[in-house]
Amino acid sequence: MSTSKFGDYGGQYVPEALMPAIEELTDAYERYVLNNEDGFIDEFRQRMRDFGGRPTPLQYAEQLSARYDTDVYLKREDLLHGGAHKLNNALGQVLLAKYMGKERIIAETGAGQHGTATAMAAAHLDMPCVIYMGETDIARQRPNVFRIRINGAEVNPVTTGRGTLKEAISETMRDWATTVENTHYVIGSVVGPAPFPSMVRDFQALISEEAREQIQEQAGTLPDAVLACAGGGSNTMGTFHHFVDDSAVDLYAVEAGGSSLSVDEEAGVAPNSASLSTGEEGVLHGARTKVLQDTDGQIMESHSVSAGLDYAGVGPELAHLVDSGRVDPVNVDDDVALEAFHRLSQDEGVIPALETAHAFGYLEEHHDELGDTVVVNVSGRGDKDLETVIEETMERDLSIAPDMSIFREVGGGAL
Amino acid sequence: MSLEASFADEPAFVPYLAAGDPDYESSLAYVEALARGGADAIELGLPFSEPIAEGSTIQEAIVRALEAGMTVDRYFEFVADLDVDVPLVCMTYYNLIYQYGDEQGPRPFVRKAAEVGLSGFVVPDLPAEEAGPLRDACDEFGLDLVFIVAPTTEGERLERMREQVSGYVYVQARLGTTGARDEVSDYTERSLARIEDWDVPKAVGFGIKSGDHAERIVSAGADGIIVGSALVDIVAEGHENDDATEEVAQRLEDKARELKQGALRGAGDRPRVE
Ligand SMILES: Cc1ncc(COP(=O)(O)O)c(C=O)c1O
């Protein structure tokens, strides 16, 4: 089995200084992850149970099911330790780094979710850890920055470019090029050079391994559709993986349509992060994949209401599954995602991450096309997003939102 | 003149600047100053938004150039506008090469590069494993493809590069990213020893900043030196202080001369092997 390419996508477009590390990682991936050498996978599963809280429930959503006249099931990754699917990957990779004899962990983070998960995993496994985070993101994700710090990891601000996720990834790669001999780079999604996209998918695939069994137990059938939001696409591939061979199950990757699907070439900004829906093939951060770029090939800054989806690339395997027709790339805009955030909170008592809310926005708009049984991945909980949600809700006139006047009277930033 | 010929008689001095830093006109003057100062070939950076192999000095140069309006088409004009008679090597990242033109793949970019008179490429995010299509296009249009040998490159990987490299081999003197450093890396000699029997000239880069530095590298066996950040620093400083273009150009020319002289001294310290 080739772990390097997905059709024409994937590969290893990295500086020469990193190639030996990539080869070493490929070897470790094959031995420990694929072949369970030294009981790696057994230990991984046990730690995901005892430390992480797996398995996460598959919950029947009564109100949404009634609303849509469709059986809606929620895969509750928001209940995983840390409040998002991110720990599956972070713990897997930090543990792998230990098996490889590495002494130091580095990682990038955008919204701060992967940074917090990696800091938690590193504390749990007693590894020193440095997180690279763009300045802009540090400013808009302060609680997560603090979570990283209290778990004992360092946060290195990245000041180049616009100071968001793609600059943080580039900077982490630069650190890695200097420190490859003793350091492992825990990449945060199914992106980057091979073997990262396959390896991160395999760690995240616990989601669909459980969900596929749970849905058959609870519904007595496979679902007609599976929905997950997609930024880099790790919760997405994790939720899809064990359903890919079930050709009757439709797979929907829901991207952030942001405020518009167009791009502003002059400013270098895409006010969305819909790389699967609108990106062009290109090479970014070590992989050939679908990329938001201008006609020259310069990479765009992507922007949406959810920082965690804002990435100009996407996992190469997803790009391939989209081209081959197996995965439907769809998107919803900021308004729809925000409404879905409030709806899930009110109707089901589940406050989702804004990233996750995109999947529910698509469900609201297209429920009548999705069949009788639908699984939606709740990739994370929304506590981290509350400040953003207050701001964004006050800017809009959303009938579903709670009355915001208390914030207007007290003034912004009350929380 | 071919790239390899630039190394023929004496140790070559190969400077790097980002094209269009801090603006188109000054940048033309700066590159021409390097040629006057003794450059034997010039690595001319085509700015890419995600320069993962660069340290902060060159990252900032790239940001300045992009903000001043550098694009791929402007870059080709820039090369055509340059009045220098040493070979020019395009240093950039693969996505820009890959996206150019109507046809899929690197061929249109390489054809255009040949048209405007570029001699070759260095592409830091294109390892030998992924380089096939670019190598083929370079062969078709008669351009060279330089590879970077890192301190960690060994065995099979080294062989794969050896099969594809032409022009010169770029010996990366240290791990990490580009940037001027104070000490000479202890990887240089070991790296040179590993590729001792390669036919192409060996140019050492990453961190060289003075004539003495250059001298030591050449006496350790390098056929040439590549210097980027130490020169970009001069451009950056001139830009910050609002110095006149001619003044900054003069500083670059002087620095180039210092580095070239250092390299020449280094060659005096060792027997030239034929
Ligand atoms: C809760 C949540 N869901 C989804 C994502 C998007 O990442 P991916 O597309 O890799 O699943 C993030 C990223 O931060 C996140 O925090």
Side-chain angles (χ1 to χ4, degrees):
Chain A
M1 169 179 118
S2 162
T3 51
S4 162
K5 294 263 163 88
F6 307 96
D8 286 338
Y9 296 109
Q12 301 175 318
Y13 296 84
V14 295
E16 179 53 33
L18 287 180
M19 282 306 291
I22 300 265
E23 289 186 334
E24 186 188 343
L25 183 62
T26 304
D27 177 62
Y29 167 55
E30 284 168 1
R31 281 167 43 208
Y32 298 120
V33 183
L34 297 182
N35 295 315
N36 193 24
E37 198 174 305
D38 298 344
F40 172 85
I41 286 294
D42 305 327
E43 181 173 350
F44 170 61
R45 285 176 183 276
Q46 184 185 339
R47 287 184 188 273
M48 284 313 301
R49 191 183 66 216
D50 299 345
F51 178 68
R54 300 213 74 91
T56 60
L58 183 76
Q59 179 215 335
Y60 183 69
E62 288 170 32
Q63 321 305 329
L64 289 188
S65 296
R67 177 181 178 88
Y68 301 134
D69 195 19
T70 293
D71 286 331
V72 177
Y73 291 84
L74 311 180
K75 180 58 176 165
R76 298 289 307 275
E77 290 300 293
D78 59 316
L79 294 176
L80 191 66
H81 180 40
H85 68 289
K86 300 280 175 184
L87 185 69
N88 299 323
N89 169 44
L91 191 105
Q93 285 200 58
V94 176
L95 187 64
L96 186 66
K98 271 221 129 132
Y99 274 62
M100 292 170 73
K102 300 288 178 189
E103 291 155 7
R104 174 174 174 265
I105 295 297
I106 55 175
E108 89 292 344
T109 197
Q113 291 301 98
H114 176 57
T116 56
T118 305
M120 269 167 16
H124 173 62
L125 291 166
D126 193 23
M127 292 275 260
C129 175
V130 175
I131 305 292
Y132 286 89
M133 190 167 183
E135 265 187 339
T136 311
D137 286 335
I138 289 179
R140 58 180 177 173
Q141 305 287 339
R142 282 158 40 100
N144 273 342
V145 177
F146 192 55
R147 284 167 82 193
I148 294 168
R149 296 288 294 119
I150 53 185
N151 277 141
E154 270 177 54
V155 177
N156 276 0
V158 179
T159 54
T160 46
R162 282 188 172 75
T164 62
L165 179 61
K166 76 181 172 66
E167 287 83 18
I169 295 182
S170 294
E171 197 57 28
T172 318
M173 286 192 164
R174 293 186 189 107
D175 178 318
W176 203 29
T178 316
T179 58
V180 283
E181 287 158 327
N182 70 357
T183 297
H184 177 66
Y185 174 13
V186 177
I187 208 164
S189 190
V190 285
V191 301
F196 281 114
S198 314
M199 184 173 76
V200 175
R201 174 207 61 210
D202 289 349
F203 291 138
Q204 291 291 357
L206 292 174
I207 303 172
S208 50
E209 183 186 294
E210 291 168 8
R212 193 172 180 282
E213 267 185 34
Q214 289 165 324
I215 188 75
Q216 290 181 93
E217 257 166 43
Q218 294 177 35
T221 165
L222 285 172
D224 296 304
V226 175
L227 273 63
C229 66
S234 67
N235 93 90
T236 335
M237 277 315 304
T239 306
F240 292 173
H241 184 64
H242 289 278
F243 292 109
V244 167
D245 290 338
D246 300 322
S247 55
V249 179
D250 294 334
L251 307 173
Y252 293 89
V254 188
E255 299 189 294
S259 56
S260 157
L261 280 183
S262 64
V263 293
D264 181 348
E265 292 227 355
E266 199 61 30
V269 175
N272 63 73
S273 61
S275 13
L276 283 175
S277 314
T278 68
E280 298 278 345
E281 188 189 336
V283 174
L284 175 63
H285 292 140
R288 185 185 294 195
T289 184
K290 291 183 188 285
V291 177
L292 299 174
Q293 55 188 324
D294 70 10
T295 45
D296 269 3
Q298 306 287 4
I299 308 305
M300 295 284 175
E301 294 286 342
S302 65
H303 186 72
S304 75
V305 73
S306 61
L309 296 184
D310 291 350
Y311 180 55
V314 64
E317 185 174 16
L318 268 175
H320 174 62
L321 290 171
V322 163
D323 280 5
S324 64
R326 182 66 190 94
V327 167
D328 279 311
V330 297
N331 59 79
V332 299
D333 67 18
D334 287 345
D335 294 347
V336 171
L338 208 59
E339 278 174 21
F341 171 93
H342 288 296
R343 188 173 304 107
L344 194 69
S345 304
Q346 280 173 29
D347 289 2
E348 295 290 345
V350 173
I351 300 176
L354 277 172
E355 292 81 9
T356 310
H358 286 75
F360 288 92
Y362 190 78
L363 178 67
E364 166 78 10
E365 299 217 307
H366 296 272
H367 56 88
D368 48 356
E369 301 154 26
L370 298 176
D372 299 330
T373 310
V374 178
V375 171
V376 187
N377 189 42
V378 185
S379 58
R381 67 173 185 228
D383 309 48
K384 69 182 175 65
D385 292 321
L386 295 185
E387 269 190 70
T388 310
V389 172
I390 293 171
E391 271 169 40
E392 298 284 342
T393 304
M394 300 222 315
E395 278 171 19
R396 290 172 171 81
D397 187 21
L398 302 180
S399 56
I400 188 166
D403 179 7
M404 301 298 285
S405 56
I406 182 166
F407 294 110
R408 290 205 176 82
E409 279 152 25
V410 180
L415 274 196
Chain B
M1 188 165 72
S2 86
L3 264 182
E4 201 163 334
S6 309
F7 294 77
D9 306 324
E10 52 183 41
F13 163 52
V14 184
Y16 164 96
L17 283 182
D21 169 30
D23 61 74
Y24 191 93
E25 292 300 329
S26 314
S27 187
L28 281 175
Y30 297 162
V31 175
E32 288 166 4
L34 294 175
R36 280 198 304 278
D40 298 288
I42 296 171
E43 289 186 356
L44 197 56
L46 164 57
F48 177 54
S49 56
E50 312 306 308
I52 55 177
E54 314 299 349
S56 56
T57 305
I58 295 179
Q59 281 178 51
E60 282 160 21
I62 286 171
V63 170
R64 284 191 298 270
L66 287 174
E67 281 178 355
M70 187 45 74
T71 62
V72 175
D73 287 330
R74 289 282 281 162
Y75 178 85
F76 287 132
E77 281 168 37
F78 186 93
V79 173
D81 281 350
L82 266 179
D83 186 14
V84 295
D85 55 9
V86 294
L88 299 171
V89 180
C90 173
M91 173 142 181
T92 195
Y93 289 77
Y94 194 54
N95 199 45
L96 297 186
I97 295 176
Y98 187 75
Q99 297 304 330
Y100 188 78
D102 306 332
E103 198 184 315
Q104 275 265 356
R107 198 170 167 276
F109 191 99
V110 179
R111 183 175 51 212
K112 180 73 184 179
E115 239 172 71
V116 297
L118 284 159
S119 299
F121 296 98
V122 188
V123 190
D125 66 343
L126 190 69
E129 284 75 3
E130 312 284 357
L134 182 58
R135 179 70 261 178
D136 291 345
C138 283
D139 288 342
E140 182 182 346
F141 296 103
L143 270 67
D144 284 314
L145 182 56
V146 172
F147 282 90
I148 301 175
V149 170
T152 43
T153 312
E154 284 170 352
E156 227 177 278
R157 301 202 34 72
L158 214 47
E159 276 314 300
R160 233 171 275 154
M161 266 185 230
R162 183 187 192 155
E163 284 160 19
Q164 300 190 70
V165 69
S166 69
Y168 56 93
V169 55
Y170 188 146
V171 181
Q172 183 181 330
R174 64 183 74 245
L175 282 175
T177 52
T178 55
R181 316 289 156 93
D182 286 324
E183 76 295 359
V184 178
S185 152
D186 57 359
Y187 283 115
T188 306
E189 290 188 32
R190 264 187 284 160
S191 297
L192 284 171
R194 259 181 289 145
I195 56 168
E196 201 172 31
D197 57 344
W198 287 25
D199 295 332
V200 287
K202 296 140 197 105
V204 173
F206 272 49
I208 301 175
K209 76 180 221 192
S210 68
D212 290 346
H213 228 142
E215 178 179 352
R216 269 174 288 162
I217 299 267
V218 171
S219 64
D223 301 309
I225 52 159
I226 302 170
V227 182
S229 299
L231 301 166
V232 172
D233 276 337
I234 295 175
V235 174
E237 208 186 294
H239 180 62
E240 267 158 40
N241 299 338
D242 243 340
D243 295 336
T245 303
E246 309 82 70
E247 253 173 71
V248 178
Q250 187 59 50
R251 280 177 220 149
L252 284 166
E253 186 179 333
D254 294 345
K255 189 72 183 175
R257 198 159 284 124
E258 173 196 332
L259 290 158
K260 174 71 185 180
Q261 292 305 319
L264 288 173
R265 283 199 307 279
D269 297 347
R270 65 180 167 99
R272 286 291 292 175
V273 273
E274 279 317 308

